[in-house]
Amino acid sequence: MSVHKEVKKVTTHVLHEMKQKGEKISMLTAYDYTMAKIVDHAGIDVILVGDSASNVMAGHETTLPITLDQMIYHASSVVRAVDRALIVVDLPFGSYQGNSKEALNSAIKIMKESGAHAVKLEGGREVKESIERILTAGIPVMGHLGLTPQSIYKFGTYNVRAKEEEEAQRLIEDAHILENAGCFAMVLEKIPAKLAERVAKELTIPIIGIGAGSGVDGQVLVFHDMVGLNNEFNPRFLRRYLNLYNEITAAVGNYIRDVKSKDFPNDKEQY
Ligand code: KIV
């Protein structure tokens, strides 16, 4: 029997057990009650209330504009829907980079006001102190290395990270630093598969990849990309399981046609 099937509630301990048993971890983003309910009932292990809400929910070009209060709004909607998955919430840009006290206060606010189970933050050695401080309050922390979208203006592009030896070496060091600081898991985004596999082998905590190949302990995708709600974003790593953009466009078209032709509502669809 898989760990996944046995558990009523996914905890950080369950994720560690899954890694030890070689069972892959499934993770998706969700930002609202209705979608979170579907994703949870389908049996996902981890729901990430990602700051990608800034892009897919609010239409911003980057993840930078979303605020702590907006993240809490999304997270508390998700928490109301979920029975089983572990819910991790992104600390948004500007809510933790200042100093470790600010990071702790932001993490506490998220946990207190949303009811989520853990936080995620981006970065390596530069956020070590913040991770340690957040952990002193008993809040589990997920790390995030590789392509870290909150630093887009430093990188300049959303291209694959750590292709060069020097950056790859630094990423490996940072991964160890985050594990030693106490992170319970880590996202590796858009890095070469071989590098991600090496990190997953060297670390005991679960490594969840996005565009990081199959040698890691689990996978995460942005829900809207995975179900094809957005047809403009086509990175190589994305597998679309539906094409909801086309399906919804057709459904809306049919509705407009039925309203205009007076076919809707019919006799049975009124009081
Ligand atoms: O915000 C987000 O959706 C993320 C994932 C891409 C890992 O951080």
Side-chain angles (χ1 to χ4, degrees):
M1 174 82 91
S2 72
V3 178
H4 168 90
K5 293 233 166 78
E6 277 168 26
V7 297
K8 287 212 168 62
K9 284 210 183 279
V10 180
T11 61
T12 58
H13 177 75
V14 166
L15 300 184
H16 277 245
E17 233 184 328
M18 288 172 79
K19 170 153 184 159
Q20 276 163 9
K21 296 198 171 158
E23 187 181 329
K24 299 282 185 185
I25 296 164
S26 62
M27 174 161 144
L28 275 174
T29 64
Y31 319 100
D32 69 279
Y33 176 85
T34 304
M35 295 304 162
K37 203 169 190 82
I38 296 172
V39 169
D40 186 50
H41 284 180
I44 205 79
D45 297 312
V46 184
I47 291 181
L48 172 67
V49 183
D51 59 359
S52 49
S54 178
N55 309 104
V56 299
M57 300 301 284
H60 293 296
E61 223 172 90
T62 72
T63 58
L64 275 64
I66 200 160
T67 66
L68 190 56
D69 283 334
Q70 287 166 343
M71 288 303 298
I72 290 168
Y73 168 77
H74 288 297
S76 51
S77 306
V78 168
V79 167
R80 283 191 285 275
V82 170
D83 293 324
R84 180 181 172 280
L86 182 84
I87 303 169
V88 182
V89 182
D90 265 334
L91 283 170
F93 176 71
S95 72
Y96 62 95
Q97 290 91 345
N99 57 60
S100 62
K101 184 156 187 285
E102 182 187 28
L104 174 64
N105 289 343
S106 301
I108 288 177
K109 191 168 157 70
I110 285 182
M111 300 297 280
K112 207 183 237 319
E113 296 181 23
S114 75
H117 310 133
V119 297
K120 172 164 88 58
L121 50 75
E122 296 180 3
R125 59 202 74 191
E126 67 280 9
V127 291
K128 173 180 176 279
E129 195 186 312
S130 294
I131 292 167
E132 286 167 345
R133 191 122 182 215
I134 294 169
L135 282 164
T136 62
I139 301 171
V141 181
M142 181 181 273
H144 185 155
L145 293 173
L147 177 64
T148 46
Q150 291 180 13
S151 305
I152 182 59
Y153 291 117
K154 183 172 105 187
F155 297 145
T157 75
Y158 287 104
N159 291 346
V160 178
R161 304 298 315 172
K163 277 163 76 177
E164 306 304 328
E165 181 55 30
E166 198 181 324
E167 193 182 342
Q169 203 48 48
R170 190 177 166 88
L171 186 141
I172 293 167
E173 284 168 22
D174 278 340
H176 282 280
I177 289 169
L178 295 193
E179 172 164 90
N180 292 335
C183 283
F184 73 91
M186 190 182 308
V187 166
L188 290 183
E189 180 165 354
K190 229 171 165 188
I191 63 168
K194 280 212 168 84
L195 174 61
E197 183 173 4
R198 178 172 165 193
V199 173
K201 283 205 172 116
E202 286 188 14
L203 269 55
T204 59
I205 60 172
I207 305 301
I208 318 285
I210 173 164
S214 59
V216 290
D217 307 304
Q219 300 292 329
V220 56
L221 285 176
V222 168
F223 175 79
H224 289 57
D225 300 336
M226 192 275 290
V227 297
L229 270 167
N230 163 8
N231 65 2
E232 287 158 11
F233 181 59
N234 292 300
R236 189 206 291 205
F237 67 77
L238 174 62
R239 186 179 292 182
R240 281 194 213 292
Y241 288 82
L242 283 172
N243 195 330
L244 281 187
Y245 184 91
N246 288 355
E247 297 216 14
I248 293 173
T249 303
V252 173
N254 290 343
Y255 170 70
I256 295 168
R257 181 200 60 209
D258 291 351
V259 170
K260 302 278 182 197
S261 68
K262 303 180 188 154
D263 177 75
F264 176 77
N266 63 25
D267 290 350
K268 289 189 192 138
E269 290 163 332
Q270 54 191 294
Y271 301 99

